Amino acid sequence: SSDDVATEALPPVVATLLPCVLDRNKRVQEAAISAFATLEESARGHLHPFLGDITQTFARAFQMYQAKNLLILYDAVGTLAECVGQMLNNPTLIQTLVPPLINKFETTQDRSLVPCMEALGSVLTHLGPSIIEVCPKVAQKCIYLVTNTLMEIQAYNQLQGQDRGVPP
């Protein structure tokens, strides 16, 4: 059956891919994290026994990855959350995966903020009441983003008005 294949094939595949996710070579990282995201979609709940290793690897990857690979990592984190769902709701897994994701969310100012928010949303959706402690950080960043965006719009509109000779 497909369960037997997953039970036999999954351990060596996961054991081979996870170290590659943390390789120093960016191309190896990219191939490994992309392959892992694909594996997540196929293996789904069968990944449960490996969630500790997966979350530890992803947490370390958050420290290593830059730009393009970080975007793929966000996708892999979101995909993992969608595929294993409530299985992520475990204090050890939460403590491993959520802090580095929240840190990226709090410090990201570039175009990767939206994929980061999507990954964070996917993870937090499956954690239930466990998310209470991170809610203030998420809310604070969201308020900052909205406030900052409104100020930028206002400044832009004032500049546009000045260009046309319209008083502010």
Side-chain angles (χ1 to χ4, degrees), residues 51-94:
L51 286 176
D53 292 336
I54 294 167
T55 56
Q56 287 174 8
T57 300
F58 285 1
R60 289 183 54 205
F62 275 119
Q63 297 170 350
M64 298 174 64
Y65 281 23
Q66 299 170 354
K68 183 180 179 184
N69 289 350
L70 192 56
L71 295 175
I72 301 169
L73 177 60
Y74 289 141
D75 181 59
V77 168
T79 301
L80 178 69
E82 296 301 323
C83 290
V84 301
Q86 293 293 321
M87 292 178 210
L88 270 183
N89 195 1
N90 164 305
T92 304
L93 300 177
I94 292 168

Side-chain angles (χ1 to χ4, degrees), residues 1-10 42 46:
S1 76
S2 66
D3 283 351
D4 293 339
V5 171
T7 304
E8 290 179 32
L10 208 49
S42 299
H46 295 290

Side-chain angles (χ1 to χ4, degrees), residues 63-143:
Q63 297 170 350
M64 298 174 64
Y65 281 23
Q66 299 170 354
K68 183 180 179 184
N69 289 350
L70 192 56
L71 295 175
I72 301 169
L73 177 60
Y74 289 141
D75 181 59
V77 168
T79 301
L80 178 69
E82 296 301 323
C83 290
V84 301
Q86 293 293 321
M87 292 178 210
L88 270 183
N89 195 1
N90 164 305
T92 304
L93 300 177
I94 292 168
Q95 191 56 41
T96 303
L97 186 60
V98 173
L101 190 53
I102 290 288
N103 182 53
K104 285 293 184 189
F105 175 68
E106 290 179 317
T107 58
T108 298
Q109 307 250 343
D110 61 16
R111 65 185 179 92
S112 67
L113 182 60
V114 171
C116 178
M117 290 174 76
E118 290 172 350
L120 184 61
S122 293
V123 170
L124 295 182
T125 298
H126 297 287
L127 300 187
S130 305
I131 69 167
I132 287 296
E133 63 189 59
V134 300
C135 284
K137 291 179 180 181
V138 173
Q140 185 177 11
K141 175 73 174 197
C142 290
I143 290 168

Side-chain angles (χ1 to χ4, degrees), residues 1-24:
S1 76
S2 66
D3 283 351
D4 293 339
V5 171
T7 304
E8 290 179 32
L10 208 49
V13 172
V14 171
T16 301
L17 271 180
L18 287 181
C20 295
V21 167
L22 300 176
D23 196 277
R24 291 177 190 259

